[in-house]
């Protein structure tokens, strides 16, 4: 059985699935949207630093009772974003970030995905 990830949309309901996807590109109605970029001269290790910064930002916003949604899908449209937002050509778009207050009436907002424990993902070597 296919998982619906809490969206409450049947897999074969293409119209409802398309509408849900469009909401992603509308940043779910968030009052504030940020675009996270990285200079093109930097490399993959630097993306880790940007990711750590993004995680710290998300935790800080959560502490201030703001909800967030990282939107990687917008990175697939750099020409549109750069043109509309005047993003410098030397920047690479990593993701968008919707910031606001989630609507708890929407089923997807109650989705909580569990995480594996550290010992299932990390190997510690003893000397």
């Amino acid at each position: 059985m296919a998982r619906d990830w809490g969206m409450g949309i049947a897999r074969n309901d293409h119209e409802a699935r398309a509408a849900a996807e469009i909401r992603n590109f509308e940043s779910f109605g968030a009052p504030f949207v940020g675009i996270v970029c990285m200079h093109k001269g930097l490399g993959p290790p630097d993306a880790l630093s940007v990711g750590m910064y993004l995680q710290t930002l998300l935790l800080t916003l959560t502490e201030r009772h703001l909800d967030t949604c990282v939107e990687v899908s917008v990175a697939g449209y750099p020409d549109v974003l750069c043109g509309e937002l005047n993003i410098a050509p030397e920047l690479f778009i990593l993701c968008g970030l919707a910031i606001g207050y989630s609507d708890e009436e929407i089923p997807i907002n109650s989705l909580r995905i569990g995480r594996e424990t550290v010992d299932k993902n990390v190997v510690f070597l003893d000397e």
Side-chain angles (χ1 to χ4, degrees):
M1 176 176 12
R3 190 171 190 173
D4 75 358
W5 296 104
M7 293 177 62
I9 300 172
R11 174 104 21 237
N12 62 351
D13 188 345
H14 301 291
E15 188 174 321
R17 293 180 82 73
E21 186 175 336
I22 291 296
R23 284 192 38 81
N24 184 56
F25 290 103
E26 295 171 341
S27 299
F28 306 100
F32 180 82
V33 177
I35 304 296
V36 179
C37 301
M38 184 175 87
H39 194 280
K40 290 179 179 178
L42 299 174
D46 300 301
L48 290 172
S49 295
V50 176
M52 286 184 273
Y53 169 81
L54 179 59
Q55 180 184 28
T56 301
L57 177 60
L58 296 174
L59 291 170
T60 301
L61 292 168
T62 300
E63 181 181 42
R64 287 167 172 70
H65 308 287
L66 289 165
D67 297 307
T68 59
C69 181
V70 175
E71 300 178 300
V72 178
S73 58
V74 301
Y77 300 90
D79 294 339
V80 173
L81 289 173
C82 290
E84 292 295 318
L85 302 175
N86 199 26
I87 295 172
E90 64 270 10
L91 296 179
F92 177 78
I93 297 170
L94 295 173
C95 65
L97 177 61
I99 303 170
Y101 302 98
S102 66
D103 181 349
E104 296 305 319
E105 299 296 316
I106 298 174
I108 192 70
N109 290 334
S110 63
L111 176 66
R112 300 296 177 261
I113 299 173
R115 302 289 187 250
E116 292 283 346
T117 59
V118 170
D119 63 318
K120 293 194 178 190
N121 291 291
V122 177
V123 176
F124 294 98
L125 302 175
D126 295 324
E127 290 186 52

